[in-house]
Amino acid sequence: VGIAVVDRHFPEDVSQEELMAAVSELNADDTIHGILVQLPLPEGIDARRVLDSIEIQKDVDGLGPENLGRLSQPGGVPLAVPCTPSGCMELLQRN
């Protein structure tokens, strides 16, 4: 399908600033079309701050403030829907 993946691993003692810089770099890279942050993050990292820094067009998990807001509105249309809840709903609807 032509999907390229950039897998970034960080040590458990990664700083907030280092993660924020990595997200900023990925946001600015036109060859990157989506950003997924593996949760939970290490203790001391503000996950909300990291997730909120992902550009809406690259928020493939739908966990940023604009996507969550759109998702919670009646008739709202988010750009991305969180995949785990979406998959659970699909399973429930099929069974």
Side-chain angles (χ1 to χ4, degrees):
V1 290
I3 296 173
V5 175
V6 175
D7 196 6
R8 299 258 180 114
H9 292 269
F10 296 92
E12 193 168 321
D13 63 347
V14 65
S15 71
Q16 183 83 40
E17 292 73 28
E18 186 178 1
L19 277 180
M20 299 301 290
V23 171
S24 180
E25 180 183 316
L26 295 169
N27 278 333
D29 187 338
D30 290 337
T31 67
I32 302 294
H33 299 102
I35 300 172
L36 179 106
V37 176
Q38 181 63 52
L39 300 174
L41 293 174
E43 188 174 322
I45 299 295
D46 182 349
R48 177 56 36 212
R49 192 169 151 220
V50 173
L51 295 171
D52 288 354
S53 71
I54 298 171
E55 289 185 6
I56 187 172
Q57 300 87 349
K58 296 185 180 192
D59 178 19
V60 296
D61 256 345
L63 296 176
E66 189 167 345
N67 271 322
L68 284 176
R70 288 175 171 215
L71 183 64
S72 66
Q73 293 174 338
V77 182
L79 296 179
V81 176
C83 59
T84 301
S86 179
C88 291
M89 293 302 295
E90 182 69 27
L91 286 172
L92 289 170
Q93 291 169 354
R94 289 185 186 196
N95 291 314

